[in-house]
Each structure stands twice: as C-alpha cells, then as structure tokens.
Amino acid sequence: MEQSFINELKTIVGEQYTLTDRESLAVYGYDSTPELESRPGVVLLPGSPPEVARIMALCHGAGISVTPRGSGTNLSGGSLSGGGVVVQTSRMNRIVEVDEENLTATVEPGVITSALHREVEGRGLFYPPDPGSMNISTMGGNVAENSGGLRGLKYGVTADYVMGLTTVLADGELLRTGGKAVKDVAGYSLNPLLVSSEGTLGFFTAITVKLIPKPRAKITMLAHFPELNQAALAVSAIIAAKVIPATLEFLDKVTIKCVEDYSHVGLPLDVDAVLLIEVDGHPAVVAEEAASVEEICKRHRCSFFQTAKDADEALKLATARRTALSALARLKPTTILEDATVPRSCIAPMLQVIQETARKYNLTIGTFGHAGDGNLHPTCLTDERDKDEIARAHAAFDEIFDAAIAMGGTITGEHGVGLAKKRYLPRLVGESGIKVMRGIKNAFDPKGILNPGKVF
Amino acid sequence: MDYVKLINCMRCGMCLPACPTYKETFLETASPRGRVALIRKLQEGELDQSERLLEYLSLCLDCQACASACPCGVNAGELVAEFTCERKGGEGLSFMEELILRRLLPHPDRLEAALAPMRLYQRTGLQKLVRKLGVMKLFPEPLERMEGLLPNLPARPLRQTIAEVTPARGEERGTVAFFLGCVMSLVFSEASRATVRLLSELGYRVVTPRNQVCCGAPNMLSGDLAGLKEAVRTNVAVFGGIEADFIVTDCGGCGAELKHYGHHLEGDPEAAAFSAKVRDISQVLALHREELRAKLKPLPVTVTYHDPCHIAHCQGIRREPRDLLRLIPGVEYRELEAADACCGSAGTYNIAKPEMADRILTRKIATIRATGAELLVTGNPGCLLQLRKGLAEQLPGVGIVHVTELLARSLDGAA
Ligand SMILES: Cc1cc2nc3c(=O)[nH]c(=O)nc-3n(C[C@H](O)[C@H](O)[C@H](O)COP(=O)(O)OP(=O)(O)OC[C@H]3O[C@@H](n4cnc5c(N)ncnc54)[C@H](O)[C@@H]3O)c2cc1C
Ligand code: SF4
Ligand code: SF4
C-alpha cells in the first residue's frame, strides 16, 4: 500500500489509530476462525461514524478494499482482509439513545452486546439476542452475521430486532433504512438484506434495535440424560407440547466434560447429554411451563432434574454453557466448529449422523448447540499440525452438511458463510441463488471493494 | 517455551473484555489473544524480536485476568512473563537490577538499611519540603513516581521488631509460620502486626523466622532464575525446620509466588511440601469465622473490596476476604464493579509504564467512587501503594486498609 495513501488515512483517523507495523498487521490477520489467516495492508480504528464515511470515500477512489471488523469473534473468516484496509469499530462504542417511549435503542457499531443488555435491563427493558460471545462481540458484528443466541428459540435472532440502520455505502454515501416506526412497507425491505450481509454490502455506523419489556420471571433447569437419543427426543417433545422455552441448549458428553473442567459448576460426568432449559415470562405461566418441561424430561428417562435455586445459580449454568466452544479446545489445540442446522424435528437423526460420521472418520466430535431451534454445533477436536486428521475433519463435515441439506436444513444457522463456508453455499442456494446475490452485491458495491471474497 | 501452550489458544477472544490494557486501547496487540499470537508468530519465524514486539509485550501487567477468563486454560500473562524471563535468562541484569536482586533482596538487613535514609528523609520533614518545592521534578520521572508512591515508613521494619515466636492467646490450637514479605514488613508493618495478632487471638502460635528472605518474585520478573532458585532454597530450608500447620502470608504477591515453589524446584519434595502449606491470611481466618464473629466489635462503616490479581486470579481466592468483611458487625459491604480488575500496580509496572498504569488506576478509582463506600479494603501491598496514591489524588476522603487491619480495628472496637 502506498505511503501517500496511508498518510491520507492518517489525516482521517489520526496517527495513533493507523496501524502499519508488521506486528499489528500480523495479529489483525486472524479472527476466531481456525486455520484461516490473511494479513491486512493497514488497520484503522476510527472514532466516529463520519470518519468511516471519509475512509470509505477515500478507499473507493483508490479502489482499495475495506473490511469492517468488530471484535473478530466470528467463526467464518469474515473479518479477514487480504492486503486491504481493516476498519475496527471498537472505539465507536456509544449507546446513543434508549428511547423508552418507542421501545428502541440506538447504538454505534462497536457497542459490546452485553453492554447493551446491561443498559436496557437496568430500565426494565430487554434486548433478547445473546450470542455465546455476547461479552465480546460487537453489535455491528451481530448485525452483519445475523447472530443468534441462547434465547433464539423463543425470541428469535438479531434480524428480528433490527429496526433501522445507518450504513455507509462503498462510495462513502449514507444509506438510511428503516427507523423507529414499527410498521414500514415502503419499497424493498433493505434492513433484512443488510442484516447478515457480512460486511459485503455496507458499513453500519448506527443501529436501532427493538426492545421488549423484561420478562418478569425466569426458571432455569438442567436435565441429565444417560441416552443421547432420549435427550434429542425430549427437545422435540417439549416443543410439540407447545412450551416454547427461552433457552433449550444441548451439550453432549465430550462437551460436558470440558465445560465442567473449566467452570466447576457441577455438571454430571457420567451421562450422555444434558439439556439446559430456561422458561421465562409471566410468573404463573413460567411455573406451569417448568412443571411440564420437568414432566417431559422425566418421561424421556432423564436421570436427574435440577432447578436452579436462585439467579446466581442460573447465571452460573448459562455462563458455563457459553464457554462450551472454548472449553472444548482444552482437549486438542484446533477446534473446528460447524454450524449445521436442521428443522428441529430432525435433531435426533442429525445427532446420529454426526456420531456415525465421527466414527467413520475416526474423529472426536463434541456437539452442543441451540437444540430448540435445530442449530447444532458439531465441533471437531483436532491438531492443525496433523494434516491427515484435518483432511478427515473436512471430509466429515462435507458429509454432515450434505445430510443437513438433505433434511431440509442449512449450512449455517448463525455464523455466516464468510470464507469458511463459501464452497458449500452453491449446494444450498443453487446457481440462481448465487446469481441473484451477485446482482445485489453489484447494486451496492459495483467496484467490489467491500469485504471482497466473502460469502460467494 | 512450550509450543503447545501457544497453539492451545483458539482465538475465541473470551479474554478480551477481561484484559485491562485491551479495555484501554482496543488494540489486538494489547490483548491476551494478541500477545499469545505475537509470541507464537515469533516462534514460527513470522516475526522477529523487534523492539516494537518487545514493547508491545511489555505493556502486559501479568495480572492474569485473562487466565481466569480463558475457557481453554491458556494463561497469556504467564506466557508473556515466561517469554520475557527466558529471553532475559538472567543475563545482562542492569546495574540497578543487579543491585536490588542480587545484593539487597537476598539480605533483608541490607535492604532495610538501604531504606533507612528514606525514613530519615521522611521524618526530618525534608520530604514535605521536597514535595513542596517540586525538587523531584528534576529527577528522572521513575524516581519521582517512586517517591510519590511511598507512604510514611514505619520507624523500624517489622522483621526487626516482631518476636520470633508470638504465643497463642488462650488455648493453643496449632502453629503457623509467618512469611513477612519485603514490602509488607518495610512499609505496611502495622497490617502485618494485625495479621500476627489475629492469628494469636485465634489460638495459633506464630513463628516468624528472622532469616527468611524475599519470596523471589522480583527475580522471576527480571528473568533472574538463579536468584529465584536461591531464594526458594533459602526459604524452603528456613521454613522446613518449623513444625507448622500453615505457612501464612498477608501479601498476595508473595502468596502466589510461594505456592509456586514446588514448581520452581521441580522434583524437590520439600519445596512441594512448602507450597502445599502456604495460605493467604484470609484463607486461615475464614476457617474460624464463628470464633472471630464472637470477638469482633461493631464498626459502623461502609466498605468495598478490591481483589488483588495475585489473590483472585493467581490463587483463586475471592470469597474469603468478602466473608471476613461481612463478619464485622456494623460494616456495610458494597461490591465493587469489576472488583477483580487490576489497579495498575503490577509489581513495578506503575513505574515502568506510568501512562497506562494511570489510566487503569483512574478507571479503578471511578468504580470505587460509584460504590459510595468510605473505606477501601484489599490484601496486597502493591495494590495498597497504588490505590492509596490514586485515592489521595482523585478521591480524598476514602481511606484504604489491609483486610487484617480492619479486622484488628474491629477487635478493638475503634474505627
Ligand atoms: C466462543 C464463541 C461463541 C459464539 N457464539 C455465538 C452464538 O451463540 N451465536 C452466534 O450467532 N454467533 C456466535 N459466535 C460467532 C460470533 O461471535 C458472531 O458472529 C459475532 O456476531 C461476531 O461479532 P464481532 O464483533 O466479533 O464481529 P467480527 O467477527 O469482527 O466481524 C464479523 C463480520 O461482521 C462484519 N462487520 C463487523 N462490524 C461491521 C459493521 N459495523 N458494518 C458492517 N459489517 C461489519 C465483518 O466484516 C465480518 O464479516 C461465537 C463466537 C465465539 C468465539
Ligand atoms: S487466550 Fe483463551 S480466551 Fe483468549 S483467545 Fe486464546 S483461547 Fe480464547
Ligand atoms: S495478564 Fe493482564 S494485562 Fe496481560 S494479557 Fe492477561 S489480562 Fe491482559
């Protein structure tokens, strides 16, 4: 990258926030995705949305690519840039407004998800999306990946809460979509298109989300299952009984052991699976739902059923679940986590496929996930130095994805396509799907400078 | 360094929000994940030992908040410390390091003598004059900062004045050996006196050997492995002769280091036995909650507690000190937000990296202000020094004491 161009960038964000040294570029060459790395040409940390607009305009003029980056926790290589400009949003971390009358919050893109939770919950309000990474991930990253969370089953995903966006387009111009009006059918729905665009259509600089009243009561439960299959069937049975828990999370034996090693919350080490279940809402309804969840679990031969005695214990259990992915990395250095998602009635067969495939390729695969919405995370524990094992892991995931697609599922429920799953996308959406997506990309970014090479 | 420890980091970023330097800078190079990556890339040959790389690594406080946060069991802070230590390897200690590590610390007498002029300086009123005239401004900044940190030193270090054996009050239940710690003995001797008194009140005979030496943590930090091992051997020998139930310290930093002795002298059963007996004072006191409760008199005061890194992250002790504060009748305990976030003291960090240390300290003081507490309690001399200075400058009116000092005040029933 030319020095004169870098100097111009410096005039926008300041010397201190323009990183060009080898060391910095090396550590901005990765995100949480295993195996992928690619060095940026320069890293910028702008302090305000207008700076982002100026950066975009300058890069557009020079034909240089821009990759937005939040905290780099995505699992699809989405924030890696090959030689271009990486723009990290962490300094733009103001909660601009909480509008209690309209039940909305407006934030800058670098706001950490859990910081928004704290702010609104202090006012009796609720922002439900809570990815496992909520203490690290940014709102910009959540919107770009359409992140789901532990409460996705009942409350939906990020897309269900985004009401308005201010987006800097590839050429530096501003696009405002949606707003605080609950109903809005003017023209094409651009909000949902921008949500899950993985940084390829525009750079979000302000995000307005919908808030709801904070549920008045919550009960957290943990059920132990000696048989994996029974746990899977219990999930379907709970939903079939028309109970929609806020959280219905699944952990298999391998995952349980790792999580317990780290968190010491008292998870059982002698069972095949546990379900972490949370029901929330009106106190009377919550009590009723908890009773029926317990009854269903017992019917499915759960060996032990525990109800968290207080908020503290509930938080401990949920927090332990959030560490599942990282805790799995205790066993082996490289964890390849996938995001295969099936209609929820297919959870039991999907788990079976995962187990069989692991056996067939002689791999250790731990599985956990948002069982309630069919979003499973089979996680292969490998060592990147063992090339043969890595190759087997990829072959196994090939089969797992094919099975998911065949069941009417998808290749990613929440992590996005990025670089990691590019090659699977055509299998899912077909040629026509790719053609339409390319057309959209062209309309937004004719020069192709926004996070190039991602998605397709 | 063990390569596997480096590749165990799966880059999930779970440690980012825990890291004080990341919170201040938002820079990946100043995050635990980034630090592990820097060392890893260095080992893989992608980066070399540039000034800048070492500078980045030196910004780490070794507070180990990242270790508490990392579900994979990676300890970025320790890896950085280990790397720095291996790199230096005890070779080429600077003149000052040589003086302090090799000539002063292993000989408490000399260390204490070295500080004597400081006491004189304080007691003759020279200090006030110097401060007023701003003479310190003429000296290099580190010295000026060091001067600003020091509270009034006690007339004589505790090591010289405490009895070798303090008998148990009432019926004797056992013996503890007391590890003094340089800074506690030199600067916070009142707190350590309180520690010994509490142990004695609870029926322990307290043995405080005079010939103990510094725990070795400063050697470790400077890469002086030979000096470290020497300190370990001396202390293991000194304490090995005492039939003690516990080896107790009221210094979080010493405690963390002493618990590592078994690791420092691998394969040495005596070092392992030594480490197994080490307890932070709060751990021992917490064993006797009910007896303490019966002895404590009311202190009407609102307090909050700062978790020293070396107690919370390195030793995993969080509940005991809080439980002890809650035992005191009349005390209103208020939890501090991010209580286990580093205060910026971190050994000599506040002298080496004053700007970052100040930013971290200021954030800490803001959380203390938010509690509205009248008194801050903590359990480590480094934190006591750093926070005392921070409070004096930014939140005068809020006092600071060691856990044992507050308990001793409550024994007396005088605030
Ligand atoms: C331990 C762990 C647990 C996780 N659990 C979950 C989970 O439960 N659910 C889930 O959905 N995900 C989960 N994830 C994945 C990840 O946390 C999410 O994808 C998250 O939304 C990424 O946020 P980020 O701020 O780190 O974004 P980054 O990783 O930095 O970026 C992600 C993408 O967003 C783009 N982007 C970032 N900011 C902007 C912006 N302002 N404008 C436009 N594009 C932008 C980037 O270009 C990139 O393509 C988990 C990850 C980890 C490591
Ligand atoms: S040090 Fe631990 S918490 Fe931090 S990124 Fe690495 S694995 Fe994750
Ligand atoms: S030891 Fe402290 S400063 Fe160093 S990386 Fe860990 S959390 Fe950050």
Side-chain angles (χ1 to χ4, degrees), chain A residues 31-32 67-75 77-79 89 109 130-133 136-150 197-200 202-205 207 321-322 325-326 370 377 414-415 451 454, chain B residues 10-14:
Chain A
D31 53 29
S32 298
T67 299
R69 178 181 173 103
S71 298
T73 69
N74 79 89
L75 295 158
S79 49
T89 58
D130 63 338
S133 51
I136 344 164
S137 66
T138 65
M139 288 296 289
N142 286 180
V143 174
E145 299 284 10
N146 191 6
S147 295
L150 274 62
S197 61
E198 306 190 24
T200 62
F203 198 121
F204 314 127
T205 53
I207 300 160
R321 155 59 187 94
R322 281 179 210 286
L325 164 59
S326 316
H370 318 294
H377 294 310
E414 55 184 23
H415 293 165
N451 209 5
K454 310 296 153 58
Chain B
M10 48 97 61
R11 297 176 174 169
C12 62
M14 287 290 202

Side-chain angles (χ1 to χ4, degrees), chain A residues 225 227-239 275 296 300 345 347-349 351:
Chain A
F225 290 89
E227 291 162 68
L228 189 77
N229 195 42
Q230 291 295 327
L233 293 175
V235 170
S236 308
I238 290 171
I239 293 173
L275 292 178
I296 292 169
H300 285 85
S345 60
I347 291 192
L351 281 170

Side-chain angles (χ1 to χ4, degrees), chain A residues 22-23 32 37 39 330, chain B residues 11 28 41 46 50 71:
Chain A
R22 294 179 56 208
E23 291 76 14
S32 298
E37 277 203 38
R39 270 194 204 199
R330 289 181 160 246
Chain B
R11 297 176 174 169
E28 189 71 22
K41 286 176 185 300
E46 193 182 326
S50 63

Side-chain angles (χ1 to χ4, degrees), chain B residues 119-415:
Chain B
R119 266 191 300 279
L120 193 67
Y121 158 76
Q122 286 185 335
R123 287 201 299 165
T124 54
L126 199 58
Q127 182 179 43
K128 281 209 190 92
L129 192 67
V130 166
R131 284 190 185 168
K132 233 191 182 145
L133 295 176
V135 176
M136 283 319 268
K137 294 264 181 285
L138 301 174
F139 292 99
E141 215 206 348
L143 212 64
E144 185 197 329
R145 295 186 61 83
M146 227 184 309
E147 202 275 345
L149 280 173
L150 269 188
N152 284 335
L153 297 179
R156 286 175 70 197
L158 187 64
R159 198 185 61 94
Q160 293 175 9
T161 56
I162 191 139
E164 287 246 22
V165 177
T166 308
R169 288 277 198 104
E171 200 181 325
E172 186 178 307
R173 80 163 78 230
T175 298
V176 302
F178 185 44
F179 187 88
L180 283 161
C182 306
V183 188
M184 288 305 295
S185 167
L186 283 167
V187 184
F188 298 106
S189 50
E190 275 321 301
S192 287
R193 218 176 273 288
T195 301
V196 173
R197 174 171 166 212
L198 285 160
L199 288 168
S200 147
E201 288 275 356
L202 288 170
Y204 286 104
R205 189 172 77 102
V206 185
V207 182
T208 312
R210 284 267 161 87
N211 47 351
Q212 54 178 291
V213 297
C214 166
C215 66
N219 305 78
M220 176 78 194
L221 284 172
S222 309
D224 178 19
L225 289 181
L228 168 70
K229 295 221 159 121
E230 191 48 43
V232 176
R233 278 194 207 98
T234 309
N235 283 328
V236 169
V238 167
F239 283 86
I242 304 164
E243 295 262 322
D245 304 292
F246 305 116
I247 297 168
V248 174
T249 177
D250 53 12
C251 167
C254 297
E257 196 61 46
L258 299 176
K259 286 181 179 178
H260 259 78
Y261 273 17
H263 172 79
H264 290 325
L265 288 191
E266 224 172 324
D268 181 334
E270 282 173 37
F274 177 102
S275 282
K277 276 191 190 174
V278 176
R279 300 285 185 281
D280 183 72
I281 179 67
S282 64
Q283 292 179 292
V284 177
L285 296 180
L287 294 176
H288 308 291
R289 284 190 185 86
E290 292 317 311
E291 295 157 75
L292 256 179
R293 193 199 302 276
K295 291 178 191 280
L296 297 175
K297 303 192 187 82
L299 284 185
V301 59
T302 48
V303 305
T304 187
Y305 174 73
H306 159 73
D307 285 291
C309 302
H310 280 104
I311 293 186
H313 302 301
C314 303
Q315 301 186 60
I317 303 169
R318 296 158 192 274
R319 226 189 54 216
E320 289 83 346
R322 290 175 169 77
D323 283 359
L324 291 170
L325 296 178
R326 287 202 179 96
L327 278 185
I328 304 174
V331 157
E332 183 190 330
Y333 177 75
R334 295 188 186 161
E335 186 62 31
L336 186 62
E337 190 200 322
D340 66 355
C342 182
C343 64
S345 163
T348 53
Y349 188 92
N350 48 4
I351 296 165
K353 295 270 181 279
E355 198 228 351
M356 182 58 73
D358 272 352
R359 284 165 69 174
I360 294 171
L361 176 61
T362 299
R363 188 183 287 260
K364 188 94 224 176
I365 300 289
T367 59
I368 298 168
R369 179 179 289 118
T371 63
E374 300 157 77
L375 190 63
L376 174 65
V377 185
T378 189
N380 184 57
C383 309
L384 284 166
L385 282 173
Q386 171 86 342
L387 289 165
R388 211 187 55 89
K389 166 179 167 283
L391 289 172
E393 288 169 4
Q394 301 176 38
L395 195 55
V398 172
I400 174 166
V401 289
H402 192 285
V403 179
T404 58
E405 268 177 297
L406 192 67
L407 287 168
R409 281 186 203 175
S410 162
L411 282 180
D412 295 336

